[in-house]
Amino acid sequence: MLAGRYRLLNPLAEGDTGAVWLAADEMLRRDVAVKEVRLPPGLDPVRRQEACASVLREANLAARLKHPSIVTVHDVVIEHERPWLVMELLSGASLEETVSRRQPLPVHQVARVGVGILSALAAAHAAGVVHRDVKPGNVFLTRTGRAVLTDFGFAAVEGEETAGRTGQLIGSPNYIAPERLRGERGGPASDLWSLGATLYFAVEGTPPHPAESPVAAIGRVLTDPARPPERAGHLGPLLMRMLAPRAEERPSFEEAARILQEIALGRPGAEVAVVSPSPESLPPAEPEAAPVPAGNRGRTLVWAAVEVTAVVAVIAATTGVAHFAFGRTVQQGPPRLSEKPGAFTVPVDLCELISAADVKKLLPAVKTPGKPTNQGGCEWMSPGIGLDVQPAPPGKQWGKSPRQAHELFVNQRNGTLPSGQIGWGWSEIGAAMHSARTTGPLTVKPVGDEAFGYDLYDNRKTGRLEQSHVVLRVDNLVLDVTYTVVNGSKDGPAIQAGAHTAATWVAQALNKQKARG
C-alpha cells in the first residue's frame, strides 16, 4: 500500500530501471497505473535526491498539460525511499510493441496516430515544454484507437536552467533530431523530427536510419538522408520532409497536421477549409480521468469517470483558423498576433482587478477582501457564494507575447471537457465534495481579446447550475473567472451573467493597466 491509498496488484511491465503496476486507488475506487522507479543499490544520498527530484519534475510537467493525447498524472508518492508515479490506467500497448509483435500499421492508422501526437506536442509547446523523447516506446495506443504521448522525464521547459545536464545525450539515437545529436538544445522542430521518425517506424517497421548499434545510428542520422519509405504511400513525402536534416526545411506544425488529417480521413491532397476534424470522424473515446489541479486553500476539484470525445487538432486554432469543437462553433482567434513581449511582463495582482464595491454586487454578504491563492490568483468568499480569478492554465500567469498567450488560451479551450462527471468542493463557501457534470466550451459575448465559457451542474440532488466560468485573454494574459453559487439564491442564467460580468470587469481593469503602460 502506497501513501495509505494505492494498493499494488500486479506488474504490467518491467525493465532495468523500474516497473509499471496495476494498482487500486482505494480512496476514489478506481484502477490506476503506478510507475515504480528503481534506484541502483548503494546510490549516495545526493544522487538519490536528484533522482526523486527528476520524477517530481516529470509529474509536475505532465500534470500541467491537459490534453486527450497526453497521459494523465494523478499523483506522485515518495515511499520506501524511492519515487512512484500514479497515472491513468491505459488499456492497450505501446506503438513499439504493437509494430514489433505484429506488423507495420496501415497508412491511414499511422496518420491518425500522427494527428493525435502532433496535437499533444502543440499543446506542450504552447505551454513552453519540449518533450525531447518522442519515440515508438513513448506513444501508447489504447484499445479504442487513441494515441497517447507518455514519459515527460526528459522534457525541457522554456527558461529552465540546464546546468548539469549539458552534454548528456537524452533519448534513443534513432529518434533524436540531428541538431540535438550535434549538442544543441533543440526545440519544437526537434520534436517534429522525432515524431516523423516514430511515424516512419509505425508504417515501415524500421527506423528511418536503420543501424546495428546506437553509435552507428548516430552517425547515419548526422550524415545520411532517411531511407526512402516503401509502404508509406501518400504519407511518404510528408515523412521525408519531417525528417529533413535542417529544422528550417521541415514543415510547420499546421501544414503537417493538415496533411496527416487528410490522409487519416482518406482524402490525401484535398483542399481543407477547416483543419479540425468533426467528432464523428474521430475514434470513440474511452472513460478516462483528468488531472487533479493543485489545491487552492481548501478548494478541491477531482475529475472522475469522464466520458469525452478526444480532440486531436489544437494546431488549427493556434494559427487563427476557425475551429469546430464538440459540436459548437467557438469564436475565431485573431489571425495575426504579435510575437513581441506583451503589456504584462510582471505578475499581475489579480485581487486589484475587481473593486470592493463591484465584488459586493455579486457577493452581497462578503466581509473580507480578496484572498490570494497559491496559484497566483484571487478569490472572494461568502456563505454559499464565491468569486474566483485564476491564471489559465494554473500557475502560468502570462505568455511572453500575445501570440504565445493565444496558444495558451487555445490549449485551455481544447482541454475543456464537453461532458462528464466530476467531484468538486469548496469548503470555505460551504460546498462539500459532491458530484457534478460539466459542459463546454461555450460561446460567450466578447470579453477582452477572446473568450469562451464552461459550466458545472449539480449531478445528484438539484441538477441546477452551480458554477460558471469565463476564460479570457487580454494581450499576453489568460485568466479563468469563476462565479459559484451553491446556496440556491441565484438561478442558472444569473450565475452565467455573474461570471460574464466579473470577466468584463477584469478585462476592463487589464485594458486600463495596459493603456497606462
Side-chain angles (χ1 to χ4, degrees):
M1 183 78 79
L2 300 175
R5 64 181 285 188
Y6 304 112
R7 184 177 299 280
L8 301 184
L9 300 177
N10 59 269
L12 299 174
E14 294 193 63
D16 294 336
T17 60
V20 177
W21 292 79
L22 170 66
D25 181 348
E26 299 200 341
M27 180 179 293
L28 296 181
R29 303 293 181 184
R30 64 180 176 184
D31 289 336
V32 295
V34 174
K35 178 180 177 181
E36 173 191 2
V37 179
R38 293 174 180 167
L39 304 178
L43 200 65
D44 64 78
V46 174
R47 295 294 300 277
R48 183 174 293 274
Q49 185 177 2
E50 289 176 350
C52 291
S54 177
V55 176
L56 287 170
R57 177 181 176 277
E58 177 186 355
N60 288 332
L61 283 179
R64 82 191 228 191
L65 301 173
K66 188 196 312 183
H67 190 278
S69 288
I70 294 177
V71 67
T72 298
V73 173
H74 300 307
D75 197 1
V76 63
V77 175
I78 304 297
E79 198 149 316
H80 306 302
E81 297 187 344
R82 60 182 185 270
W84 308 71
L85 215 58
V86 183
M87 304 175 293
E88 65 174 316
L89 180 64
L90 300 172
S91 178
S94 73
L95 179 61
E96 183 177 38
E97 293 172 330
T98 301
V99 173
S100 298
R101 292 180 181 178
R102 301 176 188 175
Q103 59 183 0
L105 303 181
V107 172
H108 74 278
Q109 185 178 357
V110 174
R112 186 169 59 183
V113 170
V115 171
I117 302 304
L118 193 66
S119 178
L121 289 173
H125 297 162
V129 177
V130 179
H131 190 279
R132 297 204 303 171
D133 197 22
V134 179
K135 61 183 181 181
N138 285 340
V139 173
F140 195 93
L141 304 182
T142 72
R143 296 187 186 279
T144 60
R146 183 166 60 106
V148 180
L149 183 62
T150 66
D151 201 341
F152 280 77
F154 293 148
V157 181
E158 183 178 3
E160 183 181 66
E161 293 292 332
T162 57
R165 290 184 293 175
T166 303
Q168 295 183 8
L169 183 62
I170 298 175
S172 301
N174 278 308
Y175 302 98
I176 301 177
E179 60 269 21
R180 288 195 49 235
L181 290 177
R182 291 192 294 267
E184 301 172 20
R185 179 182 173 90
S190 304
D191 277 351
L192 186 68
W193 192 98
S194 299
L195 176 59
T198 297
L199 299 181
Y200 185 107
F201 171 83
V203 75
E204 296 291 319
T206 183
H209 299 84
E212 296 181 356
S213 69
V215 173
I218 292 173
R220 290 192 176 183
V221 171
L222 286 173
T223 60
D224 298 341
R227 190 191 73 171
E230 298 174 358
R231 299 169 47 96
H234 293 292
L235 187 58
L238 174 63
L239 293 180
M240 294 300 287
R241 292 179 60 200
M242 293 172 73
L243 292 167
R246 297 173 60 85
E248 59 269 24
E249 296 172 349
R250 297 166 201 160
S252 66
F253 271 61
E254 294 84 355
E255 182 183 5
R258 177 182 63 80
I259 296 173
L260 286 170
Q261 182 186 314
E262 288 303 294
I263 295 173
L265 298 178
R267 301 195 305 262
E271 291 297 324
V272 198
V274 178
V275 176
S276 305
S278 65
E280 291 77 14
S281 70
L282 301 173
E286 60 189 359
E288 54 188 72
V292 181
N296 288 336
R297 300 180 181 272
R299 184 179 182 184
T300 55
L301 179 64
V302 181
W303 297 94
V306 177
E307 294 183 359
V308 55
T309 301
V311 177
V312 295
V314 171
I315 301 95
T318 62
T319 56
V321 178
H323 188 71
F324 187 82
F326 310 121
R328 295 182 176 89
T329 301
V330 184
Q331 73 182 75
Q332 183 173 337
R336 294 180 182 274
L337 290 169
S338 174
E339 298 283 1
K340 296 180 180 179
F344 306 102
T345 56
V346 296
V348 175
D349 185 349
L350 301 185
C351 290
E352 293 184 351
L353 296 181
I354 303 179
S355 69
D358 283 338
V359 170
K360 279 278 189 180
K361 296 176 184 177
L362 295 178
L363 284 73
V366 69
K367 296 181 179 179
T368 58
K371 179 191 297 185
T373 70
N374 58 7
Q375 292 292 324
C378 189
E379 56 190 14
W380 297 261
M381 296 164 289
S382 66
I385 306 179
L387 179 62
D388 189 28
V389 182
Q390 295 290 336
K396 189 177 181 71
Q397 262 216 356
W398 63 86
K400 288 186 176 180
S401 67
R403 166 71 181 214
Q404 188 182 72
H406 172 64
E407 292 174 349
L408 291 173
F409 172 85
V410 170
N411 185 26
Q412 192 76 3
R413 184 180 67 197
N414 288 344
T416 300
L417 303 175
S419 62
Q421 294 183 2
I422 69 167
W424 83 275
W426 191 354
S427 60
E428 291 176 304
I429 67 170
M433 179 68 72
H434 63 290
S435 175
R437 61 184 176 87
T438 64
T439 66
L442 305 171
T443 302
V444 298
K445 294 179 181 178
V447 182
D449 295 318
E450 52 189 332
F452 73 91
Y454 63 101
D455 297 325
L456 270 65
Y457 290 81
D458 177 71
N459 198 43
R460 291 189 177 178
K461 295 181 179 179
T462 64
R464 67 189 175 210
L465 188 148
E466 295 183 318
Q467 190 175 90
S468 185
H469 295 249
V470 174
V471 178
L472 70 151
R473 179 182 68 85
V474 176
D475 199 78
N476 63 314
L477 188 64
V478 182
L479 298 174
D480 187 335
V481 179
T482 308
Y483 186 44
T484 305
V485 180
V486 294
N487 60 8
S489 62
K490 296 182 183 292
D491 61 14
I495 298 172
Q496 291 172 327
H500 192 274
T501 297
T504 302
W505 291 335
V506 167
Q508 290 172 345
L510 290 173
N511 280 320
K512 287 180 180 178
Q513 289 188 22
K514 179 180 176 181
R516 290 196 299 266

